[in-house]
């Protein structure tokens, strides 16, 4: 699980993400880099492009979302919830 959503908040867990730097063309591959993302919190209503990390400003929201994420992770592991479902 890479992130957890609740209302307007989205918490990203630390993870690697493949990022396209240059698109491929004429059957040739493009250029990609792997980015290492840190734990980060975003207000999707004010920042839908996820540019401003609010983790240090809202530690209580971070903890709430971590707890929610653990519940969801256990539901996925026990088959009570499909991965990617809300």
């Amino acid at each position: 699980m890479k992130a957890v959503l609740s209302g307007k908040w989205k918490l990203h867990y630390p993870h690697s993400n493949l990022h396209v730097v240059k698109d491929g063309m004429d059957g040739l591959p493009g250029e990609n880099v792997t980015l290492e993302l840190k734990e980060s919190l975003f207000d999707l209503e004010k920042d839908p492009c996820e540019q401003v990390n609010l983790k240090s400003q809202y530690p209580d929201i971070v903890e709430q979302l971590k707890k929610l994420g653990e519940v969801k992770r256990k539901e996925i592991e026990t088959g009570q919830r499909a991965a990617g479902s809300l």
Side-chain angles (χ1 to χ4, degrees):
M1 192 161 62
K2 293 183 179 183
V4 62
L5 289 163
S6 180
K8 68 178 188 172
W9 298 107
K10 182 176 184 181
L11 177 70
H12 279 275
Y13 295 110
H15 66 277
S16 298
N17 195 35
L18 191 63
H19 177 72
V20 176
V21 176
K22 182 178 177 185
D23 292 331
M25 194 165 128
D26 297 327
L28 298 173
E31 184 180 341
N32 302 312
V33 295
T34 300
L35 301 177
E36 295 299 325
L37 301 176
K38 297 179 180 178
E39 184 176 75
S40 48
L41 177 70
F42 299 101
D43 178 342
L44 297 178
E45 287 179 0
K46 294 180 182 174
D47 182 20
C49 294
E50 302 177 11
Q51 300 296 309
V52 180
N53 184 356
L54 300 172
K55 178 185 170 189
S56 62
Q57 295 170 324
Y58 297 96
D60 54 329
I61 301 294
V62 171
E63 288 307 311
Q64 289 174 15
L65 290 176
K66 283 182 178 182
K67 289 177 184 176
L68 176 62
E70 283 307 308
V71 169
K72 301 302 179 189
R73 185 186 317 271
K74 287 178 184 175
E75 289 176 356
I76 292 167
E77 288 172 357
T78 60
Q80 297 174 17
R81 173 180 301 274
S85 66
L86 300 176

